[in-house]
Amino acid sequence: MERRRFIRIQARYMLRHEKYTLNADQDRKAVAGVVKNYSGDGALFESKTKYDIGDILKLEIDIPGWDKFKTEFYKEKRTSASEPMVVLASVVRVEAVVPDDLYDIGVFFVGIDQGHQGALIKQINARLGQ
Amino acid sequence: MADKKEQGVRVPSAKESKGIEIIEFCLGEEYYGIDVREVREIIKASTGIVPVSGTHASISGVINLRGKIIPVINLSRHFDVHAEYNLKKSRIIVSEFNQVFVGFWVHRVTRIHRILESQIEPPSDLVQFKGGYIMGVTRIEERILFLLDFEKIVSDINPHG
């Protein structure tokens, strides 16, 4: 039974995903996907890559305006452009949308900066309040 | 006042009189130190270390620090210190080498000391039992601190950079 701690909202945002390894494989690059819904601790996205349950993925999610809710004092090499949110996520669900071509990948965020998670939750609440 | 040199008292050179700041930390019952200039920040281990497969045995996993994925070296395991980590008290010391960030997981970070370089002695053969990672030894209050070479630890764990 799935237990969600945080409110989940529907949205279609671009993301880049790849299986995470410590020693970066120069031949492997992150590929594009589309987020279908997300919350403060997880997401569901479409992927042409089929992952296995338990895989650790590195996700870079383009959520417009999320970073304006960050409360970091230390800004390093910051530009005015919105940066993608980087998280490490564990695959918890894999469903074939189009067999051998398109998959729904459900993930739980196992490595998310606490400040970034707070900003994400605020962004979701702001969207819900619109 | 008589000149100290005339009295035969050794006057430290300008370099030896130079003060440096050392961050003191513990692995089990032993005290270690690292030059504060090698430290970018210190964070709580309760941040959450994500285990990653296929890594060196001394690497516990990685952490996400404001969007940077940083490997975390388990110093206790690397030095074969048999003591459990307390998630609340333990800390991760984050250093940067050649634009690469690395975290070092220690049992406790205790305090910062300001000492003179002249107070640091080279490690004797008897002391140099930690794989050649000890750059120097100093005595503070009643404790002996082993000053570690973090960069050498990283180099040994990941020789290809």
Side-chain angles (χ1 to χ4, degrees), chain A residues 14-62:
Chain A
M14 297 301 297
L15 85 159
R16 285 164 295 285
H17 56 89
E18 61 179 324
K19 195 169 175 182
Y20 180 76
T21 58
L22 192 57
N23 298 311
D25 183 346
Q26 299 297 328
D27 293 330
R28 187 176 60 230
K29 294 185 188 304
V31 294
V34 178
V35 169
K36 295 172 80 169
N37 61 59
Y38 68 103
S39 71
D41 65 357
L44 179 74
F45 67 92
E46 281 179 353
S47 165
K48 287 192 167 291
T49 305
K50 183 175 186 286
Y51 294 109
D52 295 321
I53 289 176
D55 280 349
I56 300 294
L57 310 182
K58 179 182 175 185
L59 309 179
E60 293 181 22
I61 312 173
D62 292 322

Side-chain angles (χ1 to χ4, degrees), chain B residues 62-78:
Chain B
V62 297
I63 54 170
N64 184 337
L65 184 61
R66 296 187 299 278
K68 280 193 183 69
I69 309 301
I70 298 174
V72 176
I73 294 173
N74 185 326
L75 271 187
S76 180
R77 191 186 300 162
H78 194 66

Side-chain angles (χ1 to χ4, degrees), chain A:
Chain A
M1 176 194 240
E2 186 181 356
R3 292 177 185 171
R4 292 174 175 168
R5 284 176 56 207
F6 299 101
I7 296 170
R8 185 162 292 224
I9 62 172
Q10 308 296 316
R12 291 189 75 82
Y13 294 139
M14 297 301 297
L15 85 159
R16 285 164 295 285
H17 56 89
E18 61 179 324
K19 195 169 175 182
Y20 180 76
T21 58
L22 192 57
N23 298 311
D25 183 346
Q26 299 297 328
D27 293 330
R28 187 176 60 230
K29 294 185 188 304
V31 294
V34 178
V35 169
K36 295 172 80 169
N37 61 59
Y38 68 103
S39 71
D41 65 357
L44 179 74
F45 67 92
E46 281 179 353
S47 165
K48 287 192 167 291
T49 305
K50 183 175 186 286
Y51 294 109
D52 295 321
I53 289 176
D55 280 349
I56 300 294
L57 310 182
K58 179 182 175 185
L59 309 179
E60 293 181 22
I61 312 173
D62 292 322
I63 302 176
W66 77 277
D67 48 352
K68 72 180 179 186
F69 295 99
K70 287 194 284 187
T71 56
E72 290 166 12
F73 174 75
Y74 179 60
K75 296 183 189 295
E76 184 179 1
K77 300 175 188 171
R78 188 61 51 83
T79 65
S80 57
S82 182
E83 295 176 347
M85 189 179 71
V86 177
V87 299
L88 291 178
S90 177
V91 175
V92 296
R93 185 157 70 98
V94 179
E95 281 183 20
V97 177
V98 177
D100 297 324
D101 189 47
L102 193 64
Y103 303 90
D104 273 348
I105 308 291
V107 297
F108 176 75
F109 298 156
V110 293
I112 179 169
D113 179 88
Q114 288 178 346
H116 287 188
Q117 186 178 44
L120 182 62
I121 292 167
K122 288 178 184 174
Q123 187 268 346
I124 291 170
N125 289 336
R127 274 205 60 172
L128 291 173
Q130 286 175 357

